[in-house]
Each structure stands twice: as C-alpha cells, then as structure tokens.
Amino acid sequence: MTLAIAQVQHQPVSLDEFIALYGGDNRYELIDGEIFDLEPTGQHEEVAAFITAKICVQIDRLGLPWFVLQRGLFRPSSASMTAFRPDVMVVDRTEVAKESLWQEQSIITRGSSIKFVAEVVSGNWQNDYARKVEDYAALGISEYWIADYLGLGGIRHIGKPQQPTLSICTLVDGEYEINLFRGNDAIVSPTFPNLNLTAEQVLNASK
C-alpha cells in the first residue's frame, strides 16, 4: 500500500483490538496480527486520487450502482487477524447491503462486495506484490491494480531494469493473470474498458 513500518509488538494484535484502536484511522492496517503504520507520501496520495477520479467518472457514465469507499477497511472473513486498507476500493451498493457489519462500521468482509481495488506502492512493496495478490485472488476480486510509480517492486515482479510500472491483475479461473504497463502503453481494464489512459498518465499523476 505505502511505506509500511511495523510497530514494535510483543504479541499479535487481535482484530477487535485493532479496530478499537485504529479502525477509523487511515494510517494503519493489520496483517496476520501485525500492525503496519502507513505513512503515505504526497506523491502516493496524488496517484491514488488520480485513479479514484478517473474511476468515479466511469462509474457515473455507466450508471453503475458502485462507489469508491473512502475510509473503509477490508476484513476478509477468512482471515481472523487481517484488515487491509486498500488505497482505492470500489464496492457494489447492492452487495454492501448484505454486509453484516456495514450498518455499524465501514468494514467490508466479503470479496463479492468489491468490484475493483488498487494499491499504490511507496515503500514496502512486498505486501502489494505477494500477500495481497494471493489474498485478493482467493477472495474473488476480479481486478487489482498495483501502481508502482517509483519502480520499487522486485525484479521478479516488474523485471529489469526496474522502472515505474502499472501491474493490472485480472482474475482468470481463480488466479490472477498479470499484465505490465509502462510509458505510453494504453491501459486495458476489464472492469472499466472505456478508460482512455496510458500507464504514464497514472504513474506520473504526481508530476
């Protein structure tokens, strides 16, 4: 998601403890009982805002019953000590109505409620390229973007030489097929096919 620095912890934190302490604070997420203090840079926020703005236009044009959840947590029901905080999370109003916690808290627990998710890489890229790729696919999220505007991802993920890369993960038979977009490459989004954007426009949104 962003530059993530794990707090000093002597024992795992439960989900209830995390929500009580940080549920309404966008700076923190919980992964396997470990709290990560997310410190987004200005550039990171500009890239996330650019993606959000372009996606919102598409949702409006298509008349979809979807919206971008601004301050929500994604707490997969299958992961007892994990609560992700995606940079951009598009949810379906009709599915959100079925969420057991929605009336009381801005918490999503079902993958079926999420139509699109994006993470912007600013520092700790491992969770975005590994853990979240695995978990988001397992939860059935059909499209996942990894916007690596600094080219920080490992060589096995973005190749060599490392350079700014937008990875678009599309769910096929329960696993993600990952396509890399750079420079003037036209973005191909199954969820939003009318997006008229290049990778450079997304990755350079902060410049």
Side-chain angles (χ1 to χ4, degrees):
M1 182 176 182
T2 67
L3 177 63
I5 304 174
Q7 291 184 314
V8 176
Q9 296 173 214
H10 298 291
Q11 59 184 13
V13 174
S14 71
L15 184 63
D16 287 342
E17 290 172 330
F18 173 76
I19 291 175
L21 291 170
Y22 306 113
D25 193 328
N26 282 351
R27 283 187 53 172
Y28 301 94
E29 69 180 358
L30 182 71
I31 300 178
D32 294 334
E34 185 175 9
I35 297 172
F36 286 83
D37 182 357
L38 307 170
E39 299 179 354
T41 64
Q43 289 179 303
H44 171 281
E45 293 297 274
E46 288 184 77
V47 174
F50 181 86
I51 295 171
T52 298
K54 297 302 181 181
I55 292 302
C56 285
V57 169
Q58 293 300 309
I59 292 172
D60 185 58
R61 284 179 176 173
L62 294 169
L64 297 169
W66 303 352
F67 65 97
V68 176
L69 186 56
Q70 297 290 326
R71 292 177 56 84
L73 275 173
F74 178 31
R75 191 221 74 184
S77 57
S78 58
S80 61
M81 300 179 72
T82 294
F84 297 121
R85 201 181 295 276
D87 290 310
V88 183
M89 179 164 54
V90 175
V91 298
D92 185 331
R93 294 180 188 276
T94 57
E95 291 297 323
V96 163
K98 304 173 187 176
E99 291 280 353
S100 60
L101 303 176
W102 185 248
Q103 295 302 317
E104 302 295 332
Q105 297 172 294
S106 180
I107 298 176
I108 299 297
T109 63
R110 302 160 63 247
S112 59
S113 295
I114 302 173
K115 298 302 179 182
F116 172 95
V117 70
E119 299 284 8
V120 181
V121 181
S122 292
N124 180 22
W125 50 267
Q126 290 88 346
N127 284 333
D128 294 333
Y129 280 103
R131 175 60 189 271
K132 292 180 182 180
V133 166
E134 181 179 335
D135 282 8
Y136 290 168
L139 291 161
I141 297 173
S142 60
E143 187 169 347
Y144 168 37
W145 287 17
I146 306 170
D148 191 349
Y149 68 97
L150 293 175
L152 299 176
I155 293 172
R156 67 185 295 262
H157 300 292
I158 63 174
K160 189 175 182 179
Q162 291 162 289
Q163 57 186 304
T165 302
L166 175 64
S167 301
I168 295 185
C169 310
T170 304
L171 195 65
V172 178
D173 295 330
E175 296 184 356
Y176 280 137
E177 287 187 356
I178 304 175
N179 292 295
L180 308 183
F181 298 85
R182 304 184 179 95
N184 291 322
D185 292 343
I187 290 172
V188 178
S189 167
T191 307
F192 302 104
N194 294 322
L195 273 176
N196 184 22
L197 293 173
T198 66
E200 186 175 47
Q201 286 177 287
V202 174
L203 300 170
N204 290 346
S206 63
K207 298 178 181 178

